[in-house]
Each structure stands twice: as structure tokens, then as C-alpha cells.
Amino acid sequence: MTPTPLLLFAPPGGDIAWAAASIGHCAGMLALPELRLGSAATVDEVLALHARAEDRAGDGLLRTVAQLRFGAQQPDTIDAAAHWLQRRAEWTIAQLLDWLLSHANGRHLVFHEPHDALRIDAIEGLLRALPDALVVQLVEAVPQFSAHVHHELQGRLFIPPEAQHHADRYPVLAPSLMWFRVHDTLLRVQQSNPDVRWRRLRSDFLRDRPHRVLPPLLAEIAARTTPGDSGVLPFAMPGPPNAPLGDDVRFLRTPGHWPEPETVPADPGLDHPDLLALAERLGVPLPQGALS
């Protein structure tokens, strides 16, 4: 029987890459890079989406196929993975994921897809393709998430529209709006898919108390392992020159250094009543002084 996979969702730019690696450190687990499957129905559609993207969106899928099919992540195996995918262009996403599950050498795969969490159709597509997965909604405190994303995006020419606040004449950076959009979307997906096994996990608890948080999660997927068993993390580093990315760049640079909370910059979205209510509901209420 194929081991139960874990499917992590959270907004892009936060703690999700380190969370996936923390789970992947356990024996019997394998944390994959971001596959960025979007709302595609077939491999051909995925390859077309990746070809049009400006951020090397296909690197994670290429590195995954290179590792699981050809045993290494090298320039020649990345090229072989690209040809392998092209020859299976007619495969559905479910077929592709089934293949990954069956070639994981009996390990529980850990998928983390922050970019797909921005769209309901992408989330529901992954739920249909991975019907046996345990879904984990990773919740980071809003001020900490906003600080991480603010410092990452500051000075960039392109700011994702989900992180823009338009109350003034010109849009300003407001990562809290992206946090709200993703978690509000995830809750609506959960409500419309009641049969899906769904858990919420605070990222600070996973970072600071892994030996308390991980055993119940691992037990739920029947993983015969304990936290800290040092599972292999073949994707916790930059890939070869023809597929160097596939994950949060900060994570690839320092995978062992989970970022600590930073000073919260001005974010005009932090005082929105809907955001405050959602943060309270998800168990990460904004502390006193966060809005100053």
C-alpha cells in the first residue's frame, strides 16, 4: 500500500519550506520541492505553465523527477527528466502524482504548495489528485509573516497583487492581505470538502516544539518514525545550473536556519477587522502593540 502523503498549504513567503523540511527530517519521510502544478489537468498543461512563468517555476518538478527516476540531480539527469515529462505529456496530474508516490521507495511524501494555495481551483485540483493525503494548513502569526514577506519584497519592481493595499492613491506593500486571502480561501475549501482529512498547525509550535507537535501528526499518517530521525533531504540545497531553484530561495541558501521573527514594518492591512477575526479564529491573535 502506498504510504499516506502530507500536503502542506500556506501563503508564499512564510515558513512553509522550513516546515516541510522539519517533517522531512523524520525517517520514512521525503519532503519534495514545490511542484507548482497550478490548476493544470495534464502534464502538457503544467509544462506550458512553467514555460510561461518568469521565476523558474518548473525547477522543482524537474528536480523531483530527476531524483526519483534517475537517482540524482545533475545537469544530465535534469535534461533526462525534462524529456521524460515531455514523453508523458498526456498524463493527468493524478497519474503524475501516483507515479511519484509509487517511486518514493516506501516513504511518505511531503508536498508543500504555497503558490497553489492562492487559488481555489488549484487547491481542489490537488485534493482530487491526492485523495488520501492528510492536508495540513500551516498557520504563521500575521506580524511575523508580514515581516518576512516585507523584507523579501522590499525594493522589487514587481509586487504580487495579493500583497498590495490600494486604500491610498498608490498601492503599498501589505503582506497581511496575502495572508488573509490564502487562509480565508483554505477555510472555504475545507468547508466545501468535508471528507478531506484536514489539520491546522502553527508554524512556531513546529519550529520550537517539534518533539511535541510531530508525533501526533506522524501517527495520523501511520508513519513508523519519530522526530529527529534524520531523514534524507535531497532537495534542501540549490539544484544544478539547469534547475537551481524549486523552493523558497531563502530556504535553499540556509535550509538549517529557520528565520526568527523580525521587526514588523508598517502594514496597513493589519488593522482590518476581517483579518483580526480570522487570526483569532486560527489561533494566532495579534498581540498588543502589533498595530502600532
Side-chain angles (χ1 to χ4, degrees), residues 240-281:
N242 51 347
L245 301 182
D247 222 325
D248 189 316
V249 174
R250 299 169 303 150
F251 169 75
L252 295 174
R253 289 173 183 156
T254 56
H257 177 65
W258 193 319
E260 291 293 327
E262 304 175 67
T263 302
V264 183
D267 184 331
L270 282 177
D271 62 353
H272 195 285
D274 290 347
L275 181 136
L276 296 174
L278 182 58
E280 184 84 28
R281 179 178 178 184

Side-chain angles (χ1 to χ4, degrees), residues 14-290:
D15 284 340
I16 190 169
W18 286 271
S22 180
I23 300 170
H25 263 300
C26 303
M29 312 296 294
L30 176 62
L32 299 182
E34 294 181 37
L35 302 184
R36 301 284 287 274
L37 302 178
S39 55
T42 66
V43 169
D44 186 50
E45 291 181 12
V46 167
L47 297 179
L49 287 171
H50 291 173
R52 293 196 299 268
E54 298 178 355
D55 60 350
R56 304 201 61 93
D59 283 5
L61 180 58
L62 289 172
R63 293 180 64 183
T64 298
V65 172
Q67 184 70 43
L68 297 187
R69 172 63 180 84
F70 302 104
Q73 299 170 60
Q74 300 169 348
D76 59 335
T77 61
I78 293 295
D79 289 340
H83 293 305
W84 186 93
L85 287 163
Q86 290 163 5
R87 291 195 300 272
R88 289 156 181 81
E90 77 286 354
W91 274 17
T92 65
I93 297 305
Q95 286 177 292
L96 174 63
L97 294 175
D98 282 344
W99 184 90
L100 295 179
L101 293 170
S102 65
H103 285 75
N105 293 326
R107 292 168 290 187
H108 297 264
L109 293 185
V110 182
F111 299 89
H112 69 288
E113 298 297 335
H115 289 84
D116 287 349
L118 290 165
R119 298 180 55 182
I120 285 181
D121 55 350
I123 298 170
E124 293 187 331
L126 285 171
L127 297 184
R128 288 191 298 271
L130 292 168
D132 298 325
L134 174 63
V135 178
V136 176
Q137 180 177 354
L138 187 75
V139 182
E140 183 177 1
V142 192
Q144 283 69 39
F145 172 80
S146 294
H148 291 324
V149 177
H150 190 283
H151 289 295
E152 179 68 15
L153 294 181
Q154 189 69 25
R156 289 195 181 184
L157 290 175
F158 174 75
I159 301 299
E162 296 85 7
Q164 295 179 12
H165 190 277
H166 295 267
D168 206 344
R169 181 176 178 182
Y170 299 104
V172 296
L173 183 59
S176 60
L177 300 184
M178 184 159 62
W179 184 97
F180 177 86
R181 174 180 171 179
V182 167
H183 285 296
D184 180 67
T185 297
L186 289 171
L187 288 183
R188 285 187 282 126
V189 170
Q190 181 188 11
Q191 291 167 357
S192 61
N193 293 270
D195 295 332
V196 174
R197 285 196 298 162
W198 197 292
R199 299 292 176 267
R200 291 184 203 139
L201 177 62
R202 280 181 51 167
S203 64
D204 57 334
F205 288 176
L206 179 58
R207 181 189 63 222
D208 300 333
R209 315 172 195 173
H211 285 79
R212 181 178 300 180
V213 170
L214 279 175
L217 195 66
L218 297 173
E220 189 152 2
I221 63 170
R224 299 180 180 278
T225 182
T226 56
D229 279 351
S230 300
V232 178
L233 292 174
F235 305 106
M237 63 192 75
N242 51 347
L245 301 182
D247 222 325
D248 189 316
V249 174
R250 299 169 303 150
F251 169 75
L252 295 174
R253 289 173 183 156
T254 56
H257 177 65
W258 193 319
E260 291 293 327
E262 304 175 67
T263 302
V264 183
D267 184 331
L270 282 177
D271 62 353
H272 195 285
D274 290 347
L275 181 136
L276 296 174
L278 182 58
E280 184 84 28
R281 179 178 178 184
L282 294 178
V284 286
L286 270 71
Q288 289 290 338

